[in-house]
Amino acid sequence: MKKLILLFSLSLLCSAMLFGQCLPDRHSSTWFDAWISCETSDNPNELRGPSHWIEYDFNQIRYLNELKIWNINDPDMVSYGAQNIMIDYSEDGYNWQEYGQVVLPMAPGKNTYEGDEILNFDNLRAKKLLITILDNYGGECSGFAELKIDIDTTKVDDDNI
């Protein structure tokens, strides 16, 4: 009987693990799994003025490639999700260069949401990346849930050593 219970438990565990791997990049639909900004603040890039922004510091020059973003996915807060964003980057951490404006799709508010591949930086050299939200889908606050950047670790600059 113990063997039967153990075998049943193992098969249940294995089937749950297999089912969980069907959507490996899915994101939760809860608000606390996101970056949300409800008050503007001075942007590191003075051209942007007070805004909703987030800065990523890589501590050294990195070569950036594919950018994937999961927008706010809480069913009651999808309107908080970033719609139009401006991307700036810096090689020295002080002087900003505009990469461009990008439109993010609204999240569906479902736990099967796997984010969106937004663009490919094609080995853009950057020490810092700055994302400024220009507008959202009508919510009181702005943000997105998660960001993933593919970084080429095979390239090294002499000034990184």
Side-chain angles (χ1 to χ4, degrees):
M1 184 65 170
K2 287 183 181 181
K3 287 183 182 181
L4 184 59
I5 292 172
L6 180 60
L7 183 61
F8 177 73
S9 299
L10 282 175
S11 65
L12 185 62
L13 177 63
C14 288
S15 64
M17 288 171 52
L18 290 174
F19 178 73
Q21 295 302 313
C22 292
L23 301 167
D25 285 336
R26 64 183 169 177
H27 199 279
S28 76
S29 57
T30 58
W31 69 269
F32 56 83
D33 286 334
W35 165 71
I36 297 176
S37 172
C38 294
E39 292 184 26
T40 61
S41 62
D42 290 338
N43 195 302
N45 183 347
E46 293 176 359
L47 294 175
R48 306 285 171 238
S51 51
H52 301 286
W53 58 272
I54 188 166
E55 178 184 296
Y56 295 90
D57 186 344
F58 306 118
N59 294 318
Q60 63 186 26
I61 296 288
R62 299 290 185 174
Y63 290 86
L64 312 182
N65 288 300
E66 183 181 282
L67 171 67
K68 185 172 185 176
I69 294 181
W70 290 257
N71 221 334
I72 301 287
N73 195 38
D74 184 305
D76 297 325
M77 297 175 152
V78 292
S79 64
Y80 286 20
Q83 183 174 18
N84 291 293
I85 63 172
M86 182 61 74
I87 300 174
D88 297 303
Y89 65 97
S90 174
E91 290 187 18
D92 62 11
Y94 304 102
N95 298 303
W96 295 99
Q97 295 186 36
E98 181 177 304
Y99 181 83
Q101 187 173 336
V102 179
V103 178
L104 304 182
M106 180 185 266
K110 297 181 180 179
N111 65 359
T112 55
Y113 177 49
E114 294 189 88
D116 297 286
E117 293 176 11
I118 302 304
L119 58 88
N120 192 323
F121 287 115
D122 293 320
N123 282 314
L124 176 77
R125 287 172 42 97
K127 181 178 180 181
K128 290 187 176 187
L129 189 71
L130 176 64
I131 297 177
T132 304
I133 297 178
L134 303 175
D135 60 21
N136 62 18
Y137 284 95
E140 297 172 16
C141 300
S142 296
F144 54 86
E146 185 176 342
L147 174 139
K148 178 180 174 184
I149 302 173
D150 179 37
I151 295 177
D152 187 344
T153 57
T154 63
K155 293 188 176 190
V156 177
D157 284 357
D158 290 336
D159 51 339
N160 276 344
I161 298 174

